[in-house]
Coordinates of all heavy atoms in Angstrom, one line a residue:
H909 N 12.2 0.4 27.7 CA 11.6 0.5 29.0 C 11.4 2.0 29.3 O 10.3 2.4 29.9 CB 12.3 -0.2 30.1 CG 12.1 -1.7 30.1 ND1 11.1 -2.3 30.7 CD2 12.9 -2.7 29.5 CE1 11.2 -3.6 30.5 NE2 12.3 -3.9 29.8
L910 N 12.4 2.8 29.0 CA 12.3 4.2 29.4 C 11.2 4.9 28.5 O 10.4 5.7 29.0 CB 13.6 5.0 29.2 CG 13.6 6.4 29.5 CD1 13.3 6.7 30.9 CD2 15.0 7.1 29.1
A911 N 11.2 4.5 27.2 CA 10.1 5.1 26.4 C 8.7 4.8 26.9 O 7.8 5.6 27.0 CB 10.3 4.6 24.9
R912 N 8.5 3.5 27.3 CA 7.2 3.2 27.9 C 6.9 4.0 29.1 O 5.7 4.4 29.3 CB 7.2 1.7 28.2 CG 7.2 0.8 27.0 CD 6.6 -0.6 27.3 NE 7.3 -1.3 28.4 CZ 7.0 -2.5 28.7 NH1 6.0 -3.2 28.1 NH2 7.6 -3.1 29.7
R913 N 7.9 4.2 30.0 CA 7.7 4.9 31.2 C 7.3 6.4 30.9 O 6.4 6.9 31.5 CB 9.0 4.9 32.0 CG 9.0 5.8 33.3 CD 8.1 5.2 34.4 NE 8.4 5.9 35.6 CZ 7.8 7.0 36.0 NH1 6.9 7.6 35.2 NH2 8.1 7.6 37.2
L914 N 8.0 7.0 30.0 CA 7.7 8.4 29.6 C 6.4 8.5 28.9 O 5.6 9.5 29.2 CB 8.9 8.9 28.7 CG 10.2 9.0 29.3 CD1 11.3 9.5 28.3 CD2 10.3 9.9 30.6
L915 N 6.1 7.6 28.0 CA 4.8 7.7 27.4 C 3.6 7.5 28.3 O 2.6 8.1 28.2 CB 4.7 6.6 26.3 CG 5.6 6.8 25.1 CD1 5.8 5.5 24.2 CD2 5.2 8.0 24.2
S916 N 3.8 6.6 29.3 CA 2.7 6.4 30.3 C 2.4 7.6 31.1 O 1.3 7.7 31.7 CB 3.1 5.2 31.2 OG 4.2 5.6 32.1
R917 N 3.3 8.5 31.3 CA 3.1 9.7 32.1 C 2.7 10.9 31.2 O 2.5 12.0 31.7 CB 4.3 10.0 33.0 CG 5.5 10.6 32.2 CD 6.6 10.9 33.2 NE 7.6 11.8 32.6 CZ 8.7 12.2 33.2 NH1 8.9 11.8 34.4 NH2 9.5 13.0 32.6
G918 N 2.6 10.7 29.9 CA 2.0 11.7 29.0 C 3.1 12.5 28.2 O 2.7 13.4 27.5
D919 N 4.3 12.1 28.3 CA 5.4 12.7 27.5 C 5.2 12.2 26.1 O 4.7 11.1 25.8 CB 6.8 12.4 28.0 CG 7.0 13.0 29.4 OD1 6.4 14.1 29.7 OD2 7.9 12.5 30.1
S920 N 5.7 13.0 25.1 CA 5.9 12.5 23.7 C 7.3 12.1 23.5 O 8.2 12.8 24.0 CB 5.4 13.5 22.7 OG 6.1 14.7 22.8
V921 N 7.5 11.0 22.7 CA 8.9 10.5 22.6 C 9.2 10.3 21.1 O 8.4 9.6 20.4 CB 9.1 9.2 23.3 CG1 10.5 8.6 23.0 CG2 8.9 9.3 24.8
T922 N 10.3 10.9 20.6 CA 10.8 10.6 19.3 C 12.0 9.7 19.5 O 13.0 10.0 20.1 CB 11.2 11.9 18.6 OG1 10.1 12.7 18.3 CG2 11.9 11.5 17.2
G923 N 11.8 8.4 19.1 CA 12.8 7.4 19.2 C 13.7 7.3 18.0 O 13.3 7.3 16.9
V924 N 15.0 7.1 18.3 CA 16.0 7.0 17.2 C 16.8 5.7 17.5 O 17.2 5.4 18.6 CB 17.0 8.1 17.2 CG1 18.1 7.9 16.1 CG2 16.2 9.4 16.8
D925 N 17.0 4.9 16.4 CA 17.8 3.7 16.6 C 18.2 3.3 15.2 O 17.5 3.5 14.2 CB 17.0 2.5 17.2 CG 17.8 1.5 17.9 OD1 18.6 0.8 17.2 OD2 17.8 1.4 19.2
N926 N 19.4 2.7 15.1 CA 19.8 2.2 13.8 C 19.6 0.7 13.6 O 19.8 0.2 12.5 CB 21.3 2.5 13.5 CG 22.3 1.7 14.5 OD1 21.8 1.0 15.4 ND2 23.6 1.9 14.3
L927 N 19.1 0.0 14.6 CA 18.7 -1.4 14.5 C 19.9 -2.2 14.0 O 19.7 -3.1 13.1 CB 17.5 -1.6 13.6 CG 16.2 -1.0 14.1 CD1 15.0 -1.2 13.1 CD2 15.8 -1.5 15.5
N928 N 21.0 -2.0 14.5 CA 22.2 -2.8 14.1 C 22.1 -4.2 14.5 O 21.3 -4.6 15.4 CB 23.5 -2.1 14.5 CG 23.8 -2.2 16.0 OD1 23.3 -3.1 16.7 ND2 24.5 -1.2 16.5
A929 N 23.0 -5.0 14.0 CA 22.9 -6.5 14.2 C 23.8 -7.0 15.3 O 24.2 -8.1 15.3 CB 23.2 -7.2 12.9
Y930 N 24.2 -6.1 16.3 CA 25.0 -6.5 17.4 C 24.4 -7.7 18.1 O 25.0 -8.6 18.6 CB 25.3 -5.4 18.3 CG 26.0 -5.7 19.6 CD1 27.3 -6.2 19.6 CD2 25.3 -5.6 20.9 CE1 27.9 -6.6 20.8 CE2 26.0 -6.0 22.0 CZ 27.3 -6.4 22.0 OH 27.9 -6.8 23.1
Y931 N 23.0 -7.7 18.3 CA 22.3 -8.8 18.7 C 21.0 -8.9 17.9 O 20.7 -8.0 17.1 CB 22.1 -8.8 20.2 CG 21.3 -7.7 20.8 CD1 19.9 -7.8 20.8 CD2 21.8 -6.6 21.4 CE1 19.1 -6.7 21.3 CE2 21.1 -5.6 22.0 CZ 19.7 -5.7 21.9 OH 18.9 -4.7 22.4
D932 N 20.2 -9.9 18.2 CA 19.0 -10.3 17.4 C 18.1 -9.0 17.1 O 17.5 -8.4 18.0 CB 18.2 -11.3 18.3 CG 16.9 -11.8 17.6 OD1 16.8 -11.5 16.4 OD2 16.1 -12.4 18.2
V933 N 18.0 -8.7 15.8 CA 17.3 -7.5 15.4 C 15.8 -7.8 15.6 O 15.0 -6.8 15.9 CB 17.6 -7.2 13.9 CG1 16.7 -6.1 13.4 CG2 19.0 -6.8 13.8
T934 N 15.3 -9.0 15.5 CA 13.9 -9.3 15.7 C 13.4 -8.9 17.1 O 12.3 -8.5 17.3 CB 13.5 -10.7 15.4 OG1 14.2 -11.6 16.3 CG2 13.9 -11.1 14.0
L935 N 14.3 -9.0 18.1 CA 14.0 -8.6 19.5 C 13.8 -7.1 19.5 O 12.9 -6.6 20.2 CB 15.0 -9.0 20.5 CG 14.8 -8.7 21.9 CD1 13.5 -9.3 22.5 CD2 16.0 -9.2 22.8
K936 N 14.7 -6.4 18.8 CA 14.5 -4.9 18.8 C 13.3 -4.5 18.1 O 12.6 -3.6 18.5 CB 15.8 -4.3 18.1 CG 17.1 -4.6 18.7 CD 18.2 -4.0 17.9 CE 19.6 -4.3 18.6 NZ 20.7 -3.7 17.8
E937 N 12.9 -5.2 17.0 CA 11.7 -4.9 16.2 C 10.5 -5.2 17.1 O 9.5 -4.5 17.0 CB 11.7 -5.7 14.9 CG 12.8 -5.2 14.0 CD 12.9 -6.2 12.7 OE1 12.5 -7.3 12.9 OE2 13.4 -5.7 11.7
A938 N 10.5 -6.2 17.9 CA 9.4 -6.5 18.8 C 9.2 -5.4 19.8 O 8.0 -5.1 20.1 CB 9.6 -7.9 19.4
R939 N 10.3 -4.9 20.3 CA 10.2 -3.8 21.3 C 9.5 -2.6 20.6 O 8.6 -2.0 21.1 CB 11.5 -3.4 21.8 CG 12.2 -4.5 22.7 CD 13.6 -4.0 23.0 NE 14.4 -4.9 23.7 CZ 15.7 -5.1 23.5 NH1 16.4 -4.4 22.6 NH2 16.4 -6.0 24.2
L940 N 10.0 -2.3 19.4 CA 9.5 -1.1 18.6 C 8.0 -1.3 18.3 O 7.3 -0.3 18.3 CB 10.3 -0.9 17.4 CG 11.6 -0.2 17.5 CD1 12.3 -0.1 16.1 CD2 11.5 1.2 18.1
A941 N 7.6 -2.5 18.0 CA 6.2 -2.8 17.7 C 5.3 -2.4 18.9 O 4.2 -1.9 18.7 CB 6.0 -4.2 17.3
Q942 N 5.7 -2.7 20.1 CA 5.0 -2.3 21.2 C 4.9 -0.8 21.4 O 3.9 -0.2 21.7 CB 5.5 -2.9 22.5 CG 5.4 -4.5 22.5 CD 5.3 -5.0 24.0 OE1 5.3 -4.2 24.9 NE2 5.1 -6.3 24.1
L943 N 6.0 -0.1 21.2 CA 6.1 1.3 21.3 C 5.2 2.0 20.2 O 4.6 3.0 20.5 CB 7.5 1.8 21.2 CG 8.5 1.4 22.4 CD1 9.9 1.9 22.1 CD2 8.0 1.9 23.7
A944 N 5.3 1.5 19.0 CA 4.6 2.1 17.9 C 3.0 2.1 18.1 O 2.3 2.9 17.6 CB 4.9 1.3 16.6
A945 N 2.6 1.1 19.0 CA 1.1 1.1 19.2 C 0.7 2.0 20.3 O -0.5 2.1 20.7 CB 0.8 -0.4 19.7
T946 N 1.7 2.8 20.8 CA 1.4 3.7 21.9 C 1.3 5.2 21.4 O 2.2 5.6 20.8 CB 2.5 3.7 23.0 OG1 2.6 2.3 23.4 CG2 2.1 4.5 24.2
P947 N 0.2 5.9 21.7 CA 0.1 7.3 21.2 C 1.2 8.1 21.8 O 1.6 7.9 23.0 CB -1.3 7.7 21.8 CG -2.0 6.5 22.0 CD -1.0 5.4 22.3
G948 N 1.8 9.0 21.0 CA 2.9 9.9 21.4 C 4.2 9.4 21.1 O 5.2 10.2 21.3

């Protein structure tokens, strides 16, 4: 959510995550898919 907020105001974001399996990785991947479609 923070990445989306920052991108929407024109900031560039380098996101880091290890995608560990503490909970459903597919949910994390779905979030990333939305972010990856956003310039910046």
